């Protein structure tokens, strides 16, 4: 299987400028405005008017970058736009229609059809479903029509209004009105986010201290398989006999909560550093400064002479650098997970790491391209089940599961629409999470709320490594059995029995 090329890594970062809602809004507005005034761009006076009028709308760009109005807060975005219409009574219908047309062309046809067809082989007819997903999507990405449309309509309308005042000399720009208006929008946004934006997970305030690292490692290996974007309720509906057998015969954490914002790079970074975005520095998939600010589980393992590898998409290099074995995400989605599993076999055979983390991506990509409430999404979970069974049986045959723990989880769930995830809408917050192996309690279910930030310290505990420097999650000691020597032989046969 091909690794992600340098071009793909750069392209992935560039794509996030258009995928993430915060950078998309100004990029789209500026691009649309320049396209609308394309015939005038050869005239210096017109260009000067466009640039000068932009300066008068810049405060609103800043407000909407700071406050992104996630989930139900987006319903309030029409209020500032209606206020603009009342105050200035201005509508440029040609600009209005151009902006709306460009937006749906970009999301439905360029992104939802062309992009997904070229990248993962989605049908050329994907637009017949994707438009519905864009209208329903709740996540703060460019594909959230209910958030993006009122934002770019207001920004474009204000910009065009100011441009008209300058260009046609009707009257001076109403600076006093704009100041009052911007102050009102800022105050309005601040109040909404302070009093209504209250669904973030609670942050663990102390560093990992619930148990000391054992002097001798409990396990020789830990293998973590992350089924990216696997929604908990859809996993329950899927026919996944192998995974559910592992869960039944291991320890399940039924209330495992992801972190905020629930973006893939953010979640993986929190999972394998044990802390939160405010501390490790990765706040979205759009990483402005590469690398994390704290130690990772890979750093911890190096301190005791052990190795860890993360097999995943190019985005993860932004956090973990050379600890990532990249996989190309440019391949047909029907073979993506198969290729990843084959690569995972190769890594284990050639490098034999003490910790191997494998990211399966087909479920997440299907949710984004086809939606999570359709049969295709459940089918990808079922395919992942069969592939994981094959991989575990291969590891067993290779003798790699002696004194090993297997952890299966998702990094986040997915909401309705284009499989959005980030701001913890229904289906995103709680993820499947279970552990299995000789050192793990059998048939146990833990219903207490836990956090994915516990994954890194739990891995460190199992492998006898120090906790990462800023790890906050408690070790998941509920899952770790205290066995005697007489139980050794029986426990070593656990994987074969499943």
């Amino acid at each position: 299987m091909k690794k992600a090329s340098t071009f793909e890594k750069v392209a992935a970062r560039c794509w996030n400028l258009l995928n993430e809602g915060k950078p998309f809004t100004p990029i789209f507005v500026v691009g649309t405005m320049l396209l609308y005034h394309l015939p005038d761009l050869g005239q210096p006076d017109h260009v000067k008017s466009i640039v000068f009028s932009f300066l008068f709308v810049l405060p609103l760009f800043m407000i909407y970058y700071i406050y992104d109005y996630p989930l139900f807060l987006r319903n309030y975005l029409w209020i500032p736009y209606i206020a603009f219409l009342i105050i200035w009574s201005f509508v440029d219908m040609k600009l209005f229609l151009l902006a709306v047309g460009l937006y749906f062309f970009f999301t439905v046809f360029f992104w939802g059809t062309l992009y997904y067809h070229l990248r993962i082989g989605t049908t050329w007819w994907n637009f017949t479903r994707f438009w519905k997903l864009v209208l329903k999507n709740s996540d703060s990405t460019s594909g959230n029509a209910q958030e993006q449309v009122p934002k770019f309509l207001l920004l474009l309308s204000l910009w065009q209004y100011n441009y008209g005042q300058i260009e046609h000399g009707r009257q001076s720009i109403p600076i006093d009105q704009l100041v009052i208006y911007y102050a009102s929008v800022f105050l309005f946004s601040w109040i909404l986010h302070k009093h209504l934006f209250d669904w973030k997970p609670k942050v663990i305030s102390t560093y990992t201290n619930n148990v000391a690292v054992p002097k001798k490692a409990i396990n020789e290996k830990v293998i973590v398989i992350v089924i990216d974007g696997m929604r908990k309720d859809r996993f329950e509906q899927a026919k996944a006999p192998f995974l559910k057998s592992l869960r039944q015969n291991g320890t399940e954490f039924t209330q495992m909560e992801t972190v905020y914002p629930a973006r893939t790079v953010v979640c993986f970074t929190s999972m394998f550093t044990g802390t939160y975005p405010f501390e490790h520095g990765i706040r979205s998939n759009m990483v402005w400064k590469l690398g994390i600010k704290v130690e990772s589980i890979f750093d911890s393992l190096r301190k005791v002479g052990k190795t860890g590898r993360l097999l995943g998409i190019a985005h993860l290099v932004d956090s973990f650098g050379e600890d990532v074995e990249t996989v190309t995400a440019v391949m047909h989605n029907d073979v993506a997970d198969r290729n990843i599993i084959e690569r995972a076999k190769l890594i284990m055979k050639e490098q034999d790491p003490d910790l191997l983390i494998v990211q399966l991506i087909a479920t997440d990509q299907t949710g984004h391209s086809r939606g999570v409430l359709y049969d295709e999404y459940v089918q990808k979970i079922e395919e992942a089940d069969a592939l994981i069974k094959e991989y575990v049986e291969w590891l067993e045959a290779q003798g790699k599961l002696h004194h090993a723990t297997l952890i299966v989880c998702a990094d986040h769930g997915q909401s309705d629409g284009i499989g959005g995830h980030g701001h913890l809408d229904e289906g995103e917050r709680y993820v499947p999470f279970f552990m299995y192996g000789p050192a793990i309690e059998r048939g146990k279910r833990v219903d207490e709320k836990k956090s994915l930030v516990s994954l890194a310290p739990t891995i460190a505990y199992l492998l006898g490594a120090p906790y990462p420097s800023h790890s906050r999650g408690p070790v998941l000691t509920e899952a770790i059995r205290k066995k005697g020597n007489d139980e050794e032989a029986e426990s070593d046969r656990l994987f074969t029995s499943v």
Side-chain angles (χ1 to χ4, degrees):
M1 179 186 184
K2 289 173 56 180
K3 296 183 179 181
S5 64
T6 300
F7 174 79
E8 183 177 343
K9 294 174 186 177
V10 174
R13 292 165 188 153
C14 292
W15 174 248
N16 276 329
L17 289 170
L18 298 177
N19 180 261
E20 291 286 329
K22 284 190 174 185
F24 170 81
T25 304
I27 290 173
F28 179 79
V29 170
V30 171
T32 301
M33 192 69 170
L34 293 178
L35 185 62
Y36 185 66
H37 288 280
L38 187 61
D40 302 325
L41 295 183
Q43 305 175 44
D45 289 343
H46 287 289
V47 174
K48 183 179 179 180
S49 298
I50 292 173
V51 173
F52 191 58
S53 57
F54 169 76
L55 297 177
F56 286 93
V57 76
L58 189 57
L60 189 58
F61 277 96
M62 296 172 64
I63 292 171
Y64 279 166
Y65 192 86
I66 296 171
Y67 297 108
D68 51 0
Y69 284 74
L71 300 188
F72 70 88
L73 292 186
R74 63 188 177 174
N75 298 325
Y76 294 91
L77 278 167
W78 289 105
I79 295 176
Y81 184 57
I82 293 171
F84 164 81
L85 295 175
I86 294 173
I87 296 170
W88 285 287
S89 302
F90 174 81
V91 177
D92 188 323
M93 190 54 66
K94 290 182 180 179
L95 180 58
F96 181 102
L97 294 175
L98 175 65
V100 172
L102 285 175
Y103 174 75
F104 283 103
F105 172 80
F106 168 75
T107 54
V108 176
F109 293 99
F110 180 81
W111 177 5
T113 305
L114 176 63
Y115 170 79
Y116 277 131
H117 177 77
L118 295 178
R119 181 184 157 193
I120 64 174
T122 305
T123 171
W124 282 109
W125 294 97
N126 202 44
F127 65 87
T128 60
R129 178 183 295 178
F130 206 78
W131 69 271
K132 294 182 288 186
L133 304 181
V134 170
L135 290 178
K136 293 193 295 181
N137 183 37
S138 61
D139 190 34
S140 288
T141 65
S142 55
N144 183 343
Q146 294 183 57
E147 178 182 334
Q148 290 297 331
V149 171
K151 279 185 177 180
F152 69 66
L153 286 180
L154 176 56
L155 288 163
L156 285 168
S157 297
L158 259 173
W159 191 353
Q160 180 65 12
Y161 175 80
N162 291 330
Y163 169 82
Q165 300 302 102
I166 297 172
E167 185 68 13
H168 302 292
R170 295 168 182 164
Q171 62 183 34
S172 61
I173 291 178
I175 296 178
D176 54 341
Q177 287 184 330
L178 288 175
V179 169
I180 295 173
Y181 180 77
Y182 292 150
S184 300
V185 174
F186 179 82
L187 182 62
F188 177 68
S189 301
W190 181 82
I191 292 173
L192 286 178
H193 284 72
K194 181 174 179 59
H195 296 286
L196 298 183
F197 193 6
D198 57 359
W199 59 84
K200 292 182 183 180
K202 185 178 179 180
V203 171
I204 299 170
S205 59
T206 57
Y207 294 113
T208 304
N209 61 4
N210 64 316
V211 62
V213 178
K215 294 181 179 180
K216 182 181 178 181
I218 295 173
N219 281 145
E220 294 177 2
K221 289 188 184 298
V222 173
I223 298 164
V224 182
I225 299 179
V226 183
I227 304 176
D228 196 319
M230 181 168 67
R231 183 165 156 154
K232 198 170 188 294
D233 59 343
R234 299 296 272 162
F235 170 62
E236 297 299 339
Q237 296 165 12
K239 296 178 181 178
F242 182 71
L243 291 178
K244 291 178 180 179
S245 177
L246 289 179
R247 180 179 67 175
Q248 182 179 355
N249 290 282
T251 297
E252 177 190 13
F253 292 85
T254 64
Q255 294 290 309
M256 183 60 71
E257 190 174 34
T258 190
V259 297
Y260 181 91
R263 292 278 194 264
T264 296
V265 182
V266 178
C267 293
F268 268 78
T269 307
S270 292
M271 290 160 68
F272 299 110
T273 62
T275 190
Y276 302 93
F278 72 86
E279 203 160 36
H280 58 59
I282 306 299
R283 298 176 181 273
S284 75
N285 281 350
M286 183 66 248
V287 179
W288 298 102
K289 184 177 180 181
L290 302 183
I292 52 178
K293 299 178 180 179
V294 300
E295 288 183 352
S296 70
I297 185 61
F298 307 107
D299 297 315
S300 296
L301 291 175
R302 276 189 279 270
K303 291 180 179 180
V304 292
K306 296 187 177 183
T307 59
R309 303 301 289 163
L310 194 170
L311 177 62
I313 56 174
H315 292 301
L316 300 179
V317 174
D318 296 351
S319 288
F320 298 111
E322 294 183 357
D323 290 315
V324 178
E325 294 273 348
T326 60
V327 298
T328 178
V330 183
M331 57 181 156
H332 200 290
N333 205 36
D334 287 343
V335 299
D337 284 353
R338 157 59 62 191
N339 289 340
I340 290 170
I341 288 296
E342 293 303 320
R343 179 78 176 282
K345 292 177 183 178
L346 189 64
I347 292 171
M348 185 61 75
K349 188 174 183 179
E350 294 182 349
Q351 301 180 34
D352 196 25
D354 302 289
L355 167 66
L356 178 61
I357 302 159
V358 180
Q359 178 195 22
L360 299 181
I361 62 176
T363 299
D364 182 72
Q365 291 187 154
T366 297
H368 286 306
S369 60
R370 299 292 286 165
V372 299
L373 300 183
Y374 294 87
D375 292 340
E376 297 102 313
Y377 180 80
V378 172
Q379 181 182 343
K380 289 302 172 194
I381 297 175
E382 295 171 351
E383 290 175 6
D385 175 76
L387 288 169
I388 294 170
K389 180 177 187 292
E390 175 189 319
Y391 186 54
V392 171
E393 290 175 346
W394 180 87
L395 290 169
E396 177 73 15
Q398 297 292 315
K400 301 295 185 181
L401 292 181
H402 185 69
H403 294 310
T405 288
L406 179 65
I407 302 173
V408 179
C409 65
D411 53 339
H412 52 72
Q414 289 186 297
S415 61
D416 198 3
I418 58 172
H421 52 87
H423 292 280
L424 304 185
D425 198 357
E426 181 182 357
E428 296 180 48
R429 181 181 293 266
Y430 295 102
V431 299
F433 189 101
F434 45 93
M435 303 170 65
Y436 180 87
I440 303 303
E441 293 280 0
R442 302 195 70 180
K444 189 170 183 179
R445 172 183 168 123
V446 179
D447 294 323
E448 180 185 354
K449 183 185 287 188
K450 299 291 183 178
S451 172
L452 282 176
V453 296
S454 284
L455 183 52
T458 300
I459 294 171
Y461 183 86
L462 289 169
L463 292 176
Y467 302 132
S469 61
H470 291 71
S471 169
R472 292 174 178 266
V475 175
L476 299 173
T477 54
E478 300 93 332
I480 301 171
R481 66 188 302 185
K482 298 176 178 60
K483 66 179 183 180
N485 294 331
D486 57 335
E487 296 174 301
E488 183 101 15
E490 177 187 353
S491 66
D492 286 344
R493 293 193 296 268
L494 281 175
F495 283 99
T496 302
S497 65
V498 172

